[in-house]
Amino acid sequence: MIVTGACDFSSSLSIASSSSSSTVSVTTFNISSLSSNPNIINSSSTLFRSLSFSLIRHRSSYSRRSLRRLSIHTVHGNKTQFFSHSSTRTPPLFTANSTAHRSGTFVEHLTGITESEEGISEANGFGDVESARNDIRNVATRRVETEFEVRELEELPEEWRRSKLAWLCKEVPTHKAVTLVRLLNAQKKWVRQEDATYISVHCMRIRENETGFRVYRWMTQQNWYRFDFGLATKLAEYLGKERKFTKCREVFDDVLNQGRVPSESTFHILVVAYLSSLSVEGCLEEACSVYNRMIQLGGYKPRLSLHNSLFRALVSKQGGILNDQLKQAEFIFHNVVTTGLEVQKDIYSGLIWLHSCQDEVDIDRINSLREEMKKAGFQESKEVVVSLLRAYAKEGGVEEVERTWLELLDLDYGIPSQAFVYKIEAYSKVGDFAKAMEIFREMEKHIGGATVSGYHKIIEVLCKVQQVELVETLMKEFEESGKKPLLPSFIEIAKMYFDLGLDEKLEMAFVECLEKCQPSQTIYNIYLDSLVKIGNLEKAGDVFNEMKNNGTINVSARSCNSLLKGYLDSGKQVQAERIYDLMRMKKYEIEPPLMEKLDYILSLKKKEVKKRPLSMKLSKEQREVLVGLLLGGLQIESDKEKKSHMIKFEFRENSQAHLVLKQQLHDQFREWLHPLSDFQEDIIPFEFYSVPHSYFGFYAEHFWPKGQPEIPKLIHRWLSPHSLAYWYMYSGFKTSSGDIILRLKGSLEGVEKVVKALRAKSMDCRVKKKGKVFWIGLQGTNSALFWKLIEPHVLEDLKEHLKPASESLDNDKEAEEQSINFDSNSDHSDDCVNSEAHF
């Protein structure tokens, strides 16, 4: 007998069950009446559940097989979902406001658009993930029902086996991961695949899906295990619907590793699970990867809601728009068109916006999309017109900008502030700076005051034409407005003063910048160049030493060459040699004109100028820093032969600690970085790589064996205060109560070694597991002891941000988002491990 998990309530329900055809009639249910009465819903759910179990137990007199096929009802949350075969629901429309709360998104350039914009309704949320989640039921009705064999207890000939299985089904859901594995290991002598499958299915029936996953994972590690596609499919779908994307992906990969193609519903559910967790780093990239496989590997045609949800996530992504995002968006657009689905208006708008964000704008492609919009009967919205304004401004096409500006006025929706900025940029490219200033004043009148981006752009424009008085007036207005950040404008003004030789004003701007802004290597370099140019080498040396001693700022090749030039020109040979030795140690390139002078000076002492060091070797400090970063999640990528390894430095844009660490680590490992990672100051990206090198093999072998994070067996020997400090700065945070939380990936045995190492340093801690991540908590006096140990190695600019205290000086948003409660066993965590109890 086959029991399916997809029931159609559009017609009366009947199930085979008589002597010949075995038909048992079941009363038809009215969905609308059920939904309006919660009591009926609860009773009907009970009825269907009892009906399913009674059907499973029912024996057909003609059955010759001892195994029965079971297709489990699909679960969403705590309710059983029954799918209808058709759906008439129209996917909702996309609005600009639906993503307006994100920074760096589709509507960031529409700053002037209010949230209550006419014609825009949040209820019409285009590409809502919820609509894609609801469409899972439609996907399920289009596929062949996945079945797998489950043997019922009463069919087992051995009474002892029935009793033991019933006991396991009762005990297994009540235990945590470690105890569960011990329990199952104790039954190894008699448990077979059919028994473990029954237990896993039982867990899914009672909504204990994570327990079912643990049983499945234990089962796959046994020598008698044979891959079961039906079980893997159902388990992956159950986990995905609960947004357990990590475990869902593990089962999904199991299917792929067996050379099988997952079902369409599994692809769909996994993409939706990733899209429902976009706050987790890397989920959008994984969603795109699974979506691409769904089409290219499975040959499936996703529903329109899935296309729209993924597209919306792409245009809503925070940060800069990369070329990869544009390629993925174009791929989604291509799939929607080629499968004959309706291309909604905001797909066109979003794609045009993505093109306008690129450094090199493809005007032809934008015009092509506009033509397709017109053919589809869509009028160009304000979002499209502003995107066109941005694209034309980058090209410097004043005529096109003015024509587009008139179109924007004709829409009568109001002009967003960013449109003024784009117009200022267009006129600055053709050298009409007076017109640019006129547009800036129009913006002030139109929106009741200039925006931060407006001030940045007009000050940048006027600094290029060296309008000193006007720039100073605007900068004073900018400071009095209370808007931030001021740093980009201070840098532009410092450059202007340097070019004009106004060294006193440059010094005043530098001091004022330090008082009101975060220290910047760029502003320091400009000031250092000014001091060298006027011959004030003593003060230049002091500024250089201040840069070198401040890990947030640090020196660069530019600052070293600048001061070296000053010392060589003034004949200060001893100081020049010191700078030369520092540059050799940091492996900085020496500018060619300085090489000749250095060659002469060093030849007098029989020294040879060496362009590059003879061998690359990590210093003790670099080795200790790497240990801390690798504990915090730094990745190592290896080639197929495992002979060459590359370190991937990755930082979070919304983390204050990472903003500071990025600059410091880029400089500290500069000689090891890939040539493409040699960026200018203050524009270092949030991701860069080291050169591939066999030297990193030691770290790959101990921290990333088989391409997965692991905790080395000898980690207790390498946990120096320096390593702990960088672990804390890279992946730890301070809670509002003053506790310290450290993030760690690896095995339970590895975590035990780390905890023992901390306890050996007189620090007790508690451990909690969420998914694949362990969180180590140092509370009360333990956090104070930890801070005392690492404080000398914490960067100066992060000490106030990371220092634990009984009462937090400010609300740490990062900690609030990732708050880990070590005093209670929360339901959403996989496991709660107390170091005193387990370690």
Side-chain angles (χ1 to χ4, degrees):
M1 180 181 64
I2 299 176
V3 181
T4 65
C7 299
D8 187 358
F9 288 98
S10 60
S11 60
S12 61
L13 177 67
S14 63
I15 301 178
S17 178
S18 72
S19 58
S20 57
S21 61
S22 300
T23 303
V24 177
S25 297
V26 180
T27 305
T28 305
F29 291 90
N30 188 321
I31 296 299
S32 60
S33 63
L34 288 177
S35 62
S36 62
N37 191 335
N39 295 325
I40 296 178
I41 292 176
N42 295 332
S43 60
S44 62
S45 299
T46 306
L47 172 61
F48 279 114
R49 190 157 50 247
S50 62
L51 174 62
S52 299
F53 282 106
S54 65
L55 287 173
I56 293 172
R57 294 192 178 94
H58 177 73
R59 294 170 179 266
S60 174
S61 59
Y62 296 99
S63 175
R64 296 182 179 179
R65 301 180 62 188
S66 60
L67 294 176
R68 305 209 172 175
R69 296 183 181 271
L70 174 65
S71 179
I72 305 173
H73 301 305
T74 304
V75 176
H76 179 66
N78 293 323
K79 298 181 181 178
T80 302
Q81 303 289 331
F82 295 89
F83 300 152
S84 62
H85 285 284
S86 61
S87 174
T88 58
R89 180 175 179 177
T90 303
L93 298 175
F94 174 80
T95 67
N97 274 355
S98 63
T99 58
H101 64 285
R102 293 174 174 265
S103 61
T105 64
F106 179 26
V107 292
E108 183 189 37
H109 65 310
L110 303 180
T111 310
I113 301 179
T114 61
E115 294 183 3
S116 58
E117 190 79 53
E118 294 184 5
I120 297 179
S121 173
E122 187 66 38
N124 294 330
F126 153 78
D128 189 4
V129 176
E130 190 63 35
S131 65
R133 190 179 297 113
N134 293 335
D135 254 348
I136 294 172
R137 64 189 64 185
N138 301 310
V139 175
T141 60
R142 287 170 18 189
R143 64 180 176 85
V144 177
E145 196 67 34
T146 303
E147 302 161 0
F148 58 96
E149 298 175 346
V150 177
R151 202 173 192 177
E152 293 304 317
L153 287 180
E154 63 269 22
E155 296 175 352
L156 299 175
E158 307 99 329
E159 183 178 352
W160 65 269
R161 186 180 294 275
R162 292 198 299 268
S163 299
K164 287 199 171 188
L165 270 179
W167 174 75
L168 279 177
C169 287
K170 180 181 177 181
E171 289 294 319
V172 163
T174 64
H175 292 285
K176 294 294 183 180
V178 178
T179 316
L180 184 147
V181 171
R182 291 172 183 167
L183 180 64
L184 292 174
N185 284 338
Q187 318 301 320
K188 269 186 177 182
K189 292 183 179 179
W190 65 270
V191 170
R192 302 172 302 186
Q193 178 154 344
E194 293 81 2
D195 303 324
T197 300
Y198 182 87
I199 298 171
S200 182
V201 169
H202 170 76
C203 293
M204 287 187 275
R205 283 174 177 168
I206 63 174
R207 314 300 184 258
E208 293 286 347
N209 297 321
E210 292 209 37
T211 305
F213 169 80
R214 292 183 184 126
V215 175
Y216 163 82
R217 183 53 67 210
W218 176 86
M219 180 169 53
T220 60
Q221 296 168 356
Q222 309 309 310
N223 54 12
W224 40 254
Y225 174 72
R226 296 294 179 270
F227 178 71
D228 189 331
F229 179 78
L231 175 63
T233 297
K234 285 298 179 184
L235 183 58
E237 293 179 3
Y238 274 46
L239 293 167
K241 288 173 184 177
E242 289 188 343
R243 304 186 188 183
K244 303 292 184 183
F245 58 84
T246 303
K247 292 180 174 61
C248 178
R249 182 58 182 268
E250 284 188 38
V251 183
F252 176 86
D253 290 339
D254 287 346
V255 177
L256 290 176
N257 293 336
Q258 291 294 326
R260 304 288 295 273
V261 178
S263 65
E264 180 180 0
S265 60
T266 307
F267 276 108
H268 187 111
I269 289 168
L270 183 53
V271 174
V272 173
Y274 277 125
L275 293 179
S276 301
S277 308
L278 289 177
S279 59
V280 180
E281 185 178 355
C283 276
L284 178 58
E285 290 75 11
E286 292 298 331
C288 293
S289 173
V290 175
Y291 169 86
N292 295 344
R293 283 188 176 188
M294 182 180 187
I295 296 169
Q296 297 167 348
L297 178 62
Y300 299 121
K301 296 180 180 179
R303 296 187 67 82
L304 181 60
S305 62
L306 192 66
H307 293 297
N308 289 344
S309 297
L310 187 56
F311 189 91
R312 176 184 181 179
L314 284 169
V315 298
S316 303
K317 189 178 187 313
Q318 297 183 2
I321 302 300
L322 303 177
N323 191 43
D324 290 342
Q325 287 176 245
L326 177 60
K327 289 180 180 178
Q328 183 66 47
E330 285 282 9
F331 182 62
I332 296 172
F333 177 79
H334 170 77
N335 291 322
V336 173
V337 172
T338 54
T339 52
L341 297 173
E342 177 188 0
V343 183
Q344 298 180 1
K345 177 180 179 180
D346 291 285
I347 288 281
Y348 289 114
S349 301
L351 201 51
I352 291 174
W353 178 76
L354 285 172
H355 274 285
S356 72
C357 292
Q358 302 301 306
D359 293 332
E360 295 183 4
V361 181
D362 189 348
I363 297 294
D364 293 336
R365 177 57 180 158
I366 290 178
N367 291 333
S368 173
L369 290 169
R370 294 176 66 192
E371 289 297 324
E372 292 183 36
M373 278 188 70
K374 292 179 182 178
K375 290 180 181 178
F378 296 129
Q379 292 185 348
E380 292 182 350
S381 62
K382 180 195 293 187
E383 292 87 348
V384 174
V385 177
V386 174
S387 297
L388 291 173
L389 196 66
R390 179 178 190 167
Y392 290 138
K394 286 187 175 182
E395 296 291 315
V398 174
E399 295 181 2
E400 290 83 357
V401 166
E402 287 292 350
R403 185 177 65 252
T404 308
W405 184 266
L406 294 176
E407 293 179 15
L408 193 59
L409 293 174
D410 292 340
L411 291 177
D412 198 25
Y413 284 142
I415 303 176
S417 60
Q418 280 300 105
F420 288 97
V421 177
Y422 300 148
K423 195 174 180 183
I424 291 172
E425 182 180 1
Y427 277 97
S428 68
K429 285 185 178 294
V430 297
D432 194 344
F433 304 103
K435 181 66 175 178
M437 186 61 194
E438 181 183 334
I439 297 167
F440 176 77
R441 293 305 182 191
E442 286 180 14
M443 176 174 65
E444 291 182 309
K445 295 178 182 178
H446 184 81
I447 63 174
T451 62
V452 172
S453 58
Y455 274 114
H456 286 169
K457 178 57 67 176
I458 193 62
I459 289 175
E460 176 190 345
V461 168
L462 294 177
C463 282
K464 289 180 180 178
V465 292
Q466 301 177 347
Q467 297 290 324
V468 177
E469 293 183 3
L470 191 52
V471 167
E472 290 174 347
T473 302
L474 286 171
M475 192 63 196
K476 186 177 180 181
E477 291 178 11
F478 191 11
E479 292 175 23
E480 291 175 352
S481 69
K483 296 181 173 67
K484 292 183 178 181
L486 300 171
L487 181 61
S489 295
F490 271 119
I491 290 174
E492 293 297 330
I493 290 174
K495 289 178 181 177
M496 178 185 68
Y497 286 152
F498 181 82
D499 293 337
L500 293 173
L502 302 175
D503 301 299
E504 292 184 2
K505 287 193 172 185
L506 194 156
E507 184 173 7
M508 293 173 61
F510 172 77
V511 172
E512 188 177 2
C513 178
L514 295 186
E515 293 175 355
K516 300 180 178 180
C517 306
Q518 187 78 10
S520 162
Q521 190 182 87
T522 300
I523 196 78
Y524 266 93
N525 281 337
I526 296 172
Y527 182 50
L528 183 66
D529 291 342
S530 172
L531 293 173
V532 171
K533 186 178 69 172
I534 63 177
N536 192 347
L537 297 180
E538 183 178 353
K539 194 168 187 178
D542 294 338
V543 171
F544 183 86
N545 290 331
E546 183 181 343
M547 294 172 67
K548 185 176 65 173
N549 296 330
N550 190 326
T552 306
I553 305 168
N554 224 319
V555 296
S556 63
R558 171 184 169 180
S559 53
C560 288
N561 277 296
S562 177
L563 189 57
L564 179 61
K565 180 179 184 300
Y567 285 146
L568 290 175
D569 290 344
S570 60
K572 296 182 180 293
Q573 298 181 6
V574 176
Q575 292 88 336
E577 284 188 56
R578 290 175 184 170
I579 299 297
Y580 167 68
D581 292 337
L582 176 66
M583 295 182 73
R584 279 199 61 205
M585 183 182 70
K586 289 183 171 288
K587 302 177 176 63
Y588 290 150
E589 290 284 355
I590 300 174
E591 293 177 358
L594 304 179
M595 291 289 292
E596 297 179 4
K597 295 181 179 180
L598 264 179
D599 190 22
Y600 172 74
I601 293 173
L602 297 178
S603 64
L604 299 177
K605 298 185 177 183
K606 298 183 179 180
K607 286 187 178 182
E608 180 182 354
V609 179
K610 298 178 180 179
K611 297 182 180 180
R612 301 289 289 178
L614 297 177
S615 63
M616 294 182 70
K617 185 177 179 180
L618 289 170
S619 64
K620 179 184 177 182
E621 181 181 354
Q622 289 174 323
R623 293 196 298 270
E624 292 181 345
V625 168
L626 271 184
V627 169
L629 296 176
L630 288 166
L631 284 175
L634 196 72
Q635 296 184 33
I636 297 181
E637 298 180 0
S638 305
D639 58 15
K640 293 181 180 179
E641 293 78 18
K642 302 291 183 181
K643 293 182 179 180
S644 186
H645 313 273
M646 186 165 55
I647 294 180
K648 178 183 180 182
F649 294 89
E650 193 170 11
F651 305 90
R652 295 190 303 274
E653 296 183 38
N654 59 348
S655 169
Q656 180 181 343
H658 279 211
L659 289 173
V660 176
L661 270 178
K662 180 185 65 166
Q663 175 71 52
Q664 193 267 342
L665 291 175
H666 185 275
D667 186 75
Q668 188 172 20
F669 290 90
R670 190 182 191 92
E671 71 273 16
W672 289 95
L673 297 184
H674 195 279
L676 296 179
S677 299
D678 190 13
F679 301 93
Q680 300 177 15
E681 297 89 342
D682 285 342
I683 56 172
I684 297 172
F686 287 89
E687 181 181 302
F688 49 84
Y689 291 83
S690 72
V691 293
H693 204 283
S694 59
Y695 194 90
F696 299 123
F698 171 84
Y699 299 96
E701 178 184 353
H702 288 86
F703 287 92
W704 278 83
K706 301 178 181 179
Q708 295 296 327
E710 189 54 79
I711 302 171
K713 295 180 180 179
L714 299 177
I715 188 61
H716 58 283
R717 296 185 181 179
W718 306 334
L719 278 182
S720 67
H722 203 171
S723 299
L724 291 172
Y726 274 82
W727 179 15
Y728 179 34
M729 289 188 287
Y730 189 66
S731 67
F733 60 89
K734 172 191 66 177
T735 66
S736 57
S737 60
D739 299 332
I740 287 177
I741 310 295
L742 299 170
R743 182 178 183 271
L744 184 63
K745 274 191 176 183
S747 64
L748 190 61
E749 294 76 15
V751 176
E752 179 180 357
K753 291 182 176 65
V754 173
V755 171
K756 286 182 177 179
L758 291 174
R759 295 182 69 179
K761 299 178 187 292
S762 303
M763 291 176 288
D764 202 359
C765 61
R766 295 171 65 93
V767 181
K768 195 163 191 176
K769 185 181 180 185
K770 294 184 71 176
K772 288 187 175 182
V773 177
F774 290 91
W775 297 92
I776 298 179
L778 295 139
Q779 300 172 293
T781 56
N782 295 302
S783 65
L785 289 172
F786 182 81
W787 177 255
K788 185 177 180 181
L789 180 68
I790 68 169
E791 183 179 11
H793 307 284
V794 176
L795 299 179
E796 285 295 330
D797 284 351
L798 294 180
K799 285 186 177 180
E800 183 178 350
H801 178 68
L802 296 175
K803 182 178 181 179
S806 57
E807 294 183 2
S808 179
L809 297 176
D810 52 24
N811 292 327
D812 191 335
K813 295 181 180 179
E814 196 173 344
E816 291 296 330
E817 292 173 358
Q818 308 180 54
S819 58
I820 308 295
N821 185 0
F822 287 90
D823 297 323
S824 63
N825 296 331
S826 54
D827 295 335
H828 61 271
S829 63
D830 288 341
D831 200 4
C832 184
V833 185
N834 190 322
S835 62
E836 296 176 355
H838 292 276
F839 300 143

